[in-house]
Amino acid sequence: MQEASEPTEPTNEPSPGLVSTAIQAITQHIRSEGLAPGDPLPSEAAMTRQLNVSRTVVREAFRSLSAMRLIDMSAGRRATVAKLDTGAMSMVIEHGITTQQISVQQVYDVRRTIEMRTVALAALRRTDQEAQAIAQSARLMRENFKSPEAVMEHDIAFHEAIAAASHNPVFSLIVTAFSGVTRRTWVIGWRTRSSDEDQLKMIKGHEDIADAILKGDPRLAAEHMAQHFDKSVKALLDAGIA
């Protein structure tokens, strides 16, 4: 039975304006209450009373926040604050490429700028364990270079490990969000390196970056990262990707 205090709407579809207001109110509640990942949000019924809107509006607001990966929802349980998730950012980037609003080259230009900074910070801040993880990813690239898909996954892990070693979660969030684009373009660039020698040279570039991080040399690490991206962009241009 519908609660007496719950307003009704003249249509089945909630007003976008009311949903937007509800989204803002829920995110404001998270901030004002200082909620952390895993903390529960008020129930739909409680938010309905608080905002003086229908439960349909609140439900749609919760669904929208869940789609943006800002809250977690599961059947029969209260919604909770979500941990940082790269899914929404990754989808925006891939959508931009798919609809030709941004280009792969523009993405790589941004990546080059960001990852020169992350690698410099990693050289300064990494723990011994983090340096070993970065070097391990580079080593696995060499050991598996006859299997392009395996090399690609170790390559992605390599860059994500560097971002994590920067000890700045914003960099880690952004770099990880680029992984979807990387999986769409990586094999194409790999194929332009038609010989084992060329492919191993690319892997050697990753080993040089890992070595500079291990040595704690931010200037050298950034220099190697810049060279790596310049060569990667050239490989994509050679393959006809603009």
Side-chain angles (χ1 to χ4, degrees):
M1 179 179 296
Q2 186 177 16
E3 295 179 16
S5 61
E6 183 179 320
T8 60
E9 295 178 356
T11 63
N12 291 328
E13 292 297 325
S15 161
L18 288 176
V19 174
S20 178
T21 299
I23 289 172
Q24 293 175 20
I26 295 166
T27 55
Q28 176 59 36
H29 176 85
I30 293 171
R31 289 193 296 270
S32 63
E33 295 297 319
L35 300 184
D39 287 345
L41 291 165
S43 66
E44 287 183 3
M47 289 303 301
T48 294
R49 291 191 295 270
Q50 181 179 328
L51 300 178
N52 195 33
V53 295
S54 73
R55 188 171 292 193
T56 303
V57 169
V58 173
R59 185 173 295 122
E60 188 61 32
F62 274 21
R63 287 173 178 166
S64 296
L65 288 167
S66 178
M68 291 186 282
R69 313 292 179 88
L70 299 182
I71 67 173
D72 290 325
M73 295 177 62
S74 57
R77 299 181 61 184
R78 293 264 293 276
T80 59
V81 178
K83 293 182 179 179
L84 284 176
D85 189 299
T86 63
M89 186 181 297
S90 180
M91 284 189 290
V92 168
I93 294 171
E94 292 190 58
H95 175 73
I97 291 175
T98 299
T99 57
Q100 299 183 350
Q101 298 181 71
I102 58 177
S103 70
V104 171
Q105 294 294 338
Q106 288 170 335
V107 170
Y108 271 73
D109 186 31
V110 172
R111 279 194 62 186
R112 183 185 191 276
T113 301
I114 290 174
E115 296 205 42
M116 285 179 64
R117 179 59 176 165
T118 62
V119 78
L121 291 175
L124 293 171
R125 298 175 177 175
R126 91 311 183 269
T127 64
D128 289 343
Q129 184 177 4
E130 287 168 337
Q132 291 168 8
I134 292 165
Q136 172 74 354
S137 291
R139 184 162 52 251
L140 289 171
M141 288 176 68
R142 179 174 290 275
E143 291 176 3
N144 293 277
F145 90 99
K146 287 294 187 181
S147 174
E149 288 196 2
V151 177
M152 177 183 69
E153 293 302 326
H154 293 307
D155 191 347
I156 291 171
F158 176 85
H159 288 274
E160 291 181 355
I162 290 173
S166 76
H167 293 193
N168 182 328
V170 179
F171 282 138
S172 194
L173 184 70
I174 295 171
V175 170
T176 304
F178 288 133
S179 297
V181 175
T182 300
R183 288 187 172 91
R184 291 176 58 169
T185 60
W186 190 95
V187 173
I188 298 171
W190 178 257
R191 287 173 182 163
T192 66
R193 300 172 171 96
S194 55
S195 68
D196 288 355
E197 181 182 4
D198 288 340
Q199 292 169 357
L200 288 171
K201 280 181 180 178
M202 186 275 271
I203 293 172
K204 176 64 163 57
H206 289 74
E207 293 169 338
D208 290 340
I209 293 169
D211 187 56
I213 293 171
L214 183 62
K215 291 177 178 176
D217 189 332
R219 182 198 60 79
L220 184 60
E223 182 180 305
H224 284 313
M225 185 66 79
Q227 292 172 357
H228 165 57
F229 271 98
D230 289 344
K231 291 174 182 177
S232 295
V233 168
K234 183 181 184 303
L236 292 175
L237 287 171
D238 289 345
I241 296 181

